[in-house]
Each structure stands twice: as structure tokens, then as C-alpha cells.
Amino acid sequence: MNKKLFIKEYAKAVYEGNAAVFAGAGTSVGAGFVDWRTLVEPFANELNLDISKEKDLVRVTQYYVNSKGGRRGNISNKIIDEFSQNGKITDTLELLTRLPISTYWTTNYDQNIEKSLENQNRKADVKKQQEDLAISLRDRDAVVYKMHGDVTLPNKAIITKDDYEMYNETHSLFTTALKGDLVSKTFLFVGFSFEDPNLDDILGKIRVLLEKDNREHYCLLKKVELKDFNNSNEDFKAAKVRQELRIEDLKRYGIETILLDSYDEIPKLLSEIERIYLNKTIFISGSIATYPEHWLEKEVNTFCYNLSKAIVSDGYKVISGFGIGIGSSVINGALDEIFLSKYKHINEHLSLYPFPQIEGGEKSLTERWTENRNVMISNSGICIFMFGNKVKNGKNVIADGMLEEFEIAKELGKIIIPIGNTAEAANEIFRIMKEEKELHSYLEDFWNILEDGKTNDVISKISEIIKQQQ
């Protein structure tokens, strides 16, 4: 599948709240944990088997348990030894858990997904065994389904042939839950080889259930290369044919494959998905305490109202810090459109971050304001700057807080739209950006209208800039 199309479609699923992730062993190997072959190798050695020649590793673990009279204590200890340590949080995992995805499935025993979610201040509801599915953690941000078990319960890990064959009996609720998610969500399979017999069984049942109405899912696979086979042309050709056949077969389950030249591409793809997701959230920065001659108070209020209303009407979300003189109008415009056409879904289209005004607590007001600005701008993709003055010691001065927000937005690589004709800080930001206009090519056709255009024209052109960034 074309990478650009994948980025667009999965970003859409993320924004609509329908995205899910299935993390395979590859995500753990990148974090420093062993792969399946390395995990099973000591058991194969004890059975006098050459692990490099074994294709069915599940059967190897079954043979080992058989040789021990059904005891699996050594396997449990091996799982604890290999997966108890703290793994590195990779760029891929950080991005996957930073995106507002609420459903994560994994066959991995380690706890890296949960820890990465915690690093993002997201509360994970972890399902390690069937009993956990009957309980919901309050205020959870994401559910992590450990369908093959967890390092803290090694004796219940799915690892032998018996475990796989009995899975539908012993873990029927997991099977049911995964079926439901595969039907209702768009999955991204990462670090997954599709050699898992259990998943093949579930995908097959979904295909039979839905016939040709499968939901579209995506998987990221690296192209096989000659160097992967010690430059053996014969082995390479055979592997290439198998990969092509496998890709075609995955379409039966509604899974489209995105072929990568290197796994290093995954963070880049996810970063682009995050950028597109964030670009649907617009931060409006501004304040006004005294009104210039060409901007009467009523005109300012009308402009802020209409701009915010237009942004929400186009399906985007507004973030506001409730700036002096403009905050109420921005909120009113957004709320009126939300109640008119967005089914009163306020949280989906409006977020407010009012600035505290009284000293108190562990941090100073200045520190809290900077923290507030960082959060607002981090949660948005596009920042609009307008007006920007305040009264200090009885004098009208430029709003230095807006200039700080501009610097934060620049540092975070956000799309910045300065409305120069609104004067004060916005005009200063406009001047700085125009001097380095080669860095802001997205404004190439809009400099003049942002500098001195009429208000209605400015709003329509801002809408056009925002749409171009989607």
C-alpha cells in the first residue's frame, strides 16, 4: 500500500477514535528483549535440536515440556529472567503510546507498553488474564490486552502447543474481545511476523464472519533483501516469493501491507501520522487590553467569534488560554457552532487552559504560565497569533506571553499563522516570520492578506491554510 495513503487513513482513524495497535515481538526486540528463537534456544539444545533449523518453535517448547513430564518450571524461570528487566522505550513505542489510541493488543510478555503509556501520563488498564476482562479500571486512558500472558504470571504464559490448541477454551473472552476490536477498529500491526497460529485462527474466523465486509487494517513489513540471506540469490528469491504471497494472502483478512526499506522508517511514518492528527487542533493565541484605532472593541469581538466558529465548522478543535479581551469571544464562537452542528460534543471541539492568577503551590505563576503554554501548544498542530497587548504599570505594552508562545511553537515545529493586521505582538511575529519567509512556504500566497486584508477575507484564507495542512 502507498505510504502516503496509509498515513492519511490511519491518521483519520486516530482522530476519529477508531485506531488500535497490535504490537508483536519486533517491538520488544528493539527494546532490548530476546526474540522467540533466542528464548527457546536453551530448550532446543537440551533436546539436541538445532534451533536454526527449527521453524515451529511452539512445537519445540511442547517437546521440552513433554520431556519434563509436563512440568514447565524452567520455562517460567526463563520468561522471568528475560522479560523482568526494564527495556528501552524505543521511538516507535513512544510514538504509538503518545498518540491518543485507547486499544493495544500484544503477544509480548514484557511490560514496555504499559511503562511507555505511564511515561506519557496515560493510565493503562492491563488485561493479563481472563478474570481481568470483567473489571474496568476507573479513569483509564488505554486498555492493554496481554493475550499471551505477562511476565508476572509466567506459569500462565501461552508458549506451548497445548496452550495454543486450548486457547479458545482457556481464553475465550480474549478471543471474543479481539474479534470485537477487529470488527470495530482499524488495527496497525507492528513488529509482527504473522506466524502466530492463534492470530491466524482468529483472523480466519473474522473473514468467515464478515465475508467481504472486513474492516481495513495495516501492517508494516520490511522488504526482504539479498543481504539478509548472506548474498544467497537462491534463498533471497524464494523469500521474496514467499513475502509476496503472504502479502496477497493478508488481503483476505482486510490487512494492507506497507513495505519498508528499513524498520527505521516506522518512527518517521508515525511522526507524520501524529503531525496530521495534531493539525486538526488549532491553538488561538491572543490578548487585547487597549484597542487600536482601526480595531474597535466590537470589531475585535466579532472577528474572534467568527474565526473560532469557522474553525469548528470545518471540523477542527480549538484550544484557548482564555486570553484577555479575546477569550470570551473565541469560546462563544466555538460553542455556538458546537451546539448548532456538532451534536453538543464540546470536548471534541474545544479545550480551555485558563491561566491561574494567584500565587500559591510549589511553582510560581510564571512557571505555571510557561507550563500551560507548553501543554497547549504541544497538543495542537497549528497556532494562530492575533492582537497581543496588555497594560503594565498603567502603560500599554506588547504581550510578552504571546512572544513566548511564538518561540515555543517555533521550537516544536508547529504551523504558525500570524495575523499581522491585528497589530501589537501579532504584528511583531508577522514581521519576524516574513523576514525568514523561506522557512514558512505554506504562507507563500497569503502574506499580503494576513498583513492588511479585510477581516472576512482573512478568516476565509486562514481556513484555506488550515485545510492545506491536512
Side-chain angles (χ1 to χ4, degrees):
M1 187 182 199
N2 179 278
K3 291 174 186 174
K4 288 185 177 180
L5 181 58
F6 156 67
I7 289 169
K8 176 184 175 183
E9 292 301 320
Y10 195 68
K12 182 173 181 285
V14 171
Y15 185 73
E16 293 176 350
N18 299 323
V21 168
F22 200 121
T27 58
S28 288
V29 172
F33 296 105
V34 298
D35 60 12
W36 250 76
R37 192 167 293 277
T38 305
L39 179 68
V40 174
E41 185 174 7
F43 310 129
N45 293 340
E46 195 169 330
L47 295 169
N48 295 316
L49 295 173
D50 184 348
I51 192 66
S52 65
K53 296 179 181 179
E54 295 297 325
K55 293 185 178 180
D56 190 345
L57 301 180
V58 172
R59 193 176 295 277
V60 172
T61 56
Q62 184 63 54
Y63 291 159
Y64 183 78
V65 171
N66 294 346
S67 73
K68 297 296 181 181
R71 298 186 303 275
R72 49 187 287 168
N74 288 345
I75 291 179
S76 296
N77 287 333
K78 183 67 173 172
I79 290 174
I80 293 172
D81 290 343
E82 296 294 350
F83 298 105
S84 292
Q85 75 272 24
N86 290 324
K88 180 182 74 172
I89 303 299
T90 62
D91 292 342
T92 294
L93 194 54
E94 181 181 346
L95 284 159
L96 285 173
T97 52
R98 198 162 69 201
L99 287 167
I101 295 170
S102 60
T103 303
Y104 297 84
W105 283 83
T106 184
T107 52
N108 301 338
Y109 306 131
D110 61 80
Q111 299 181 330
N112 253 24
I113 295 177
E114 303 95 292
K115 289 175 181 175
S116 186
L117 284 166
E118 184 179 345
N119 289 347
Q120 303 297 333
N121 292 315
R122 302 183 66 200
K123 191 175 184 179
D125 186 358
V126 185
K127 309 299 184 185
K128 302 176 183 179
Q129 51 189 337
Q130 278 218 124
E131 293 80 357
D132 297 333
L133 272 71
I135 305 168
S136 293
L137 189 65
R138 186 178 179 186
D139 295 330
R140 68 188 185 188
D141 296 300
V143 182
V144 181
Y145 295 93
K146 311 289 287 286
M147 67 179 295
H148 282 177
D150 183 82
V151 64
T152 59
L153 299 168
N155 58 315
K156 295 185 178 181
I158 305 301
I159 197 170
T160 67
K161 199 75 172 175
D162 275 347
D163 296 331
Y164 277 89
E165 289 174 352
M166 294 297 294
Y167 193 86
N168 284 340
E169 298 296 325
T170 60
H171 291 70
S172 60
L173 293 182
F174 272 100
T175 303
T176 301
L178 181 55
K179 283 181 183 179
D181 282 343
L182 284 166
V183 170
S184 62
K185 297 181 182 297
T186 299
F187 270 79
L188 174 61
F189 293 88
V190 186
F192 202 69
S193 67
F194 288 92
E195 299 303 325
D196 187 327
N198 191 47
L199 189 67
D200 266 357
D201 176 64
I202 293 170
L203 290 174
K205 289 177 180 176
I206 288 294
R207 188 181 68 83
V208 171
L209 177 66
L210 299 181
E211 295 181 349
K212 294 185 179 180
D213 295 325
N214 284 357
R215 192 181 187 94
E216 191 166 78
H217 308 292
Y218 309 101
C219 78
L220 302 175
L221 288 180
K222 180 183 171 296
K223 295 176 186 175
V224 294
E225 296 180 285
L226 182 59
K227 64 182 181 181
D228 298 332
F229 301 90
N230 297 319
N231 291 320
S232 169
N233 203 45
E234 186 178 334
D235 290 346
F236 165 66
K237 285 182 177 179
K240 193 171 187 298
V241 169
R242 283 196 298 271
Q243 186 173 69
E244 290 170 353
L245 292 172
R246 188 58 165 149
I247 288 170
E248 191 63 31
D249 187 57
L250 289 175
K251 291 181 180 178
R252 294 191 303 133
Y253 309 112
I255 299 175
E256 293 286 346
T257 302
I258 298 86
L259 279 178
L260 310 173
D261 295 320
S262 165
Y263 286 120
D264 292 339
E265 288 185 65
I266 295 178
K268 297 174 185 177
L269 293 175
L270 294 175
S271 292
E272 187 63 10
I273 288 168
E274 182 183 45
R275 185 191 68 81
I276 292 175
Y277 164 75
L278 289 175
N279 279 355
K280 295 187 180 295
T281 300
I282 321 299
F283 169 51
I284 298 179
S285 171
S287 67
I288 188 164
T290 60
Y291 298 86
E293 293 180 4
H294 61 290
W295 278 101
L296 301 176
E297 183 176 359
K298 183 178 179 181
E299 292 174 327
V300 171
N301 291 338
T302 300
F303 177 73
C304 295
Y305 175 92
N306 288 338
L307 175 62
S308 181
K309 192 173 190 297
I311 290 171
V312 173
S313 177
D314 288 337
Y316 307 121
K317 183 175 185 175
V318 168
I319 288 184
S320 171
F322 211 91
I324 295 171
I326 75 161
S328 291
S329 298
V330 167
I331 293 168
N332 286 341
L335 286 175
D336 280 357
E337 187 61 34
I338 290 167
F339 278 79
L340 177 68
S341 65
K342 304 300 178 185
Y343 304 99
K344 302 180 182 179
H345 295 174
I346 295 175
N347 290 339
E348 292 180 19
H349 297 281
L350 179 63
S351 283
L352 302 178
Y353 293 82
F355 285 70
Q357 300 298 317
I358 300 175
E359 289 280 5
E362 297 178 358
K363 297 181 181 179
S364 68
L365 273 183
T366 302
E367 288 175 318
R368 292 211 176 273
W369 291 349
T370 296
E371 192 175 68
N372 223 30
R373 291 182 174 113
N374 274 291
V375 170
M376 288 190 294
I377 297 168
S378 295
N379 288 336
S380 64
I382 298 173
C383 303
I384 298 174
F385 291 87
M386 57 185 182
F387 305 107
N389 67 37
K390 64 180 182 178
V391 174
K392 186 175 182 180
N393 298 325
K395 294 182 179 180
N396 179 62
V397 297
I398 198 166
D400 52 358
M402 271 183 66
L403 297 180
E404 182 185 5
E405 288 165 1
F406 169 60
E407 292 300 327
I408 294 171
K410 271 206 309 182
E411 185 179 342
L412 294 178
K414 304 300 182 180
I415 297 296
I416 300 170
I417 305 173
I419 309 177
N421 74 337
T422 57
E424 307 294 354
N427 187 264
E428 175 67 9
I429 293 168
F430 179 91
R431 183 191 62 76
I432 293 170
M433 291 181 63
K434 195 170 183 183
E435 286 179 357
E436 48 185 26
K437 60 166 58 179
E438 68 279 358
L439 300 177
H440 312 287
S441 57
Y442 57 91
L443 293 178
E444 184 177 352
D445 299 326
F446 304 97
W447 290 110
N448 290 338
I449 191 107
L450 291 174
E451 187 171 22
D452 53 24
K454 295 181 179 179
T455 55
N456 289 336
D457 293 337
V458 170
I459 290 174
S460 66
K461 290 302 180 183
I462 288 174
S463 293
E464 191 176 330
I465 296 169
I466 293 171
K467 286 176 184 176
Q468 287 180 1
Q469 297 308 311
Q470 307 307 313

